[in-house]
Amino acid sequence: DVKVTQSSRYLVKRTGEKVFLECVQDMDHENMFWYRQDPGLGLRLIYFSYDVKMKEKGDIPEGYSVSREKKERFSLILESASTNQTSMYLCASSWGDATNEKLFFGSGTQLSVL
Amino acid sequence: AQSVTQLGSHVSVSEGALVLLRCNYSSSVPPYLFWYVQYPNQGLQLLLKYTSAATLVKGINGFEAEFKKSETSFHLTKPSAHMSDAAEYFCAVAYSGGYQKVTFGTGTKLQVIP
């Protein structure tokens, strides 16, 4: 089975800090995604990457950046964390286009920004 | 623009009763439709997907969903609820050519009462 591993389950940061969320997948998937999950809002796509060093904005990229230096690793960066970025962050990967391929999700990182 | 509406943020059923989780979609082109499930403290996993091959789609754990174009619906059902079905369920929509963009609903939490 595909495994998508997020480095931290819980993270507490202060406003203004630079925050790195790490994600690793072990199945050589081309595509990787970062979503945030908020109660009542479902999942919203922040960024995705379709190849090493390639990235595209999702629906809510403001305040975030990403890095994909190796195929298996996709990092989400909060340049200057703010309280409205307190959320559950989910990483996902897929073999092909996510519109008709299965997404494999990590178990999430609950980020609290104080 | 594509969107999904999940009716009912919380649904309670008795163990052994029918499970019905509602999803209506909006898409200007033929959609791909998905149901994902999220168990406590886990990431999402795919239950089933519709990609136009058959209107009745069978998924894992005894769940199925029927695509009804006339009603723009893709409701999820299971004849007999089990305690282990307690989770949050997300409907999602995408379309061919949408390139990685999957739009998730707001989720429905299913409670199973013994």
Side-chain angles (χ1 to χ4, degrees), chain A residues 31 37 97-100 106, chain B residues 32 34 36 38 41 43 49 100:
Chain A
N31 306 299
Q37 180 181 9
D97 190 328
T99 54
N100 59 15
Chain B
Y32 295 144
F34 308 81
Y36 281 85
Q38 184 179 33
N41 299 315
K49 69 175 182 180
Q100 312 285 12

Side-chain angles (χ1 to χ4, degrees), chain A residues 4-19:
Chain A
V4 178
T5 304
Q6 295 184 231
S7 54
S8 304
R9 176 65 182 148
Y10 298 97
L11 214 50
V12 180
K13 296 292 180 181
R14 299 264 178 215
T15 54
E17 278 193 78
K18 190 169 185 176
V19 181

Side-chain angles (χ1 to χ4, degrees), chain A:
Chain A
D1 257 0
V2 174
K3 194 165 184 184
V4 178
T5 304
Q6 295 184 231
S7 54
S8 304
R9 176 65 182 148
Y10 298 97
L11 214 50
V12 180
K13 296 292 180 181
R14 299 264 178 215
T15 54
E17 278 193 78
K18 190 169 185 176
V19 181
F20 292 85
L21 302 184
E22 306 287 345
C23 175
V24 176
Q25 51 95 2
D26 66 357
M27 277 300 289
D28 204 36
H29 282 175
E30 299 291 330
N31 306 299
M32 296 188 74
F33 306 80
W34 276 106
Y35 289 88
R36 68 176 276 176
Q37 180 181 9
D38 299 288
L41 295 178
L43 277 72
R44 293 177 290 166
L45 181 63
I46 305 172
Y47 266 97
F48 66 92
S49 168
Y50 53 92
D51 201 349
V52 175
K53 297 189 186 293
M54 306 305 288
K55 61 187 179 186
E56 284 203 24
K57 294 179 180 178
D59 299 319
I60 52 163
E62 298 78 18
Y64 303 94
S65 62
V66 290
S67 173
R68 194 167 180 201
E69 297 296 320
K70 293 185 177 182
K71 192 174 186 179
E72 67 271 19
R73 186 179 296 272
F74 192 35
S75 303
L76 180 69
I77 304 157
L78 288 66
E79 294 291 342
S80 178
S82 63
T83 54
N84 63 12
Q85 292 178 310
T86 291
S87 185
M88 171 68 79
Y89 290 88
L90 293 172
C91 176
S93 70
S94 71
W95 176 252
D97 190 328
T99 54
N100 59 15
E101 290 289 338
K102 179 179 177 180
L103 282 165
F104 293 84
F105 284 86
S107 54
T109 295
Q110 179 63 53
L111 173 66
S112 296
V113 183
L114 306 177

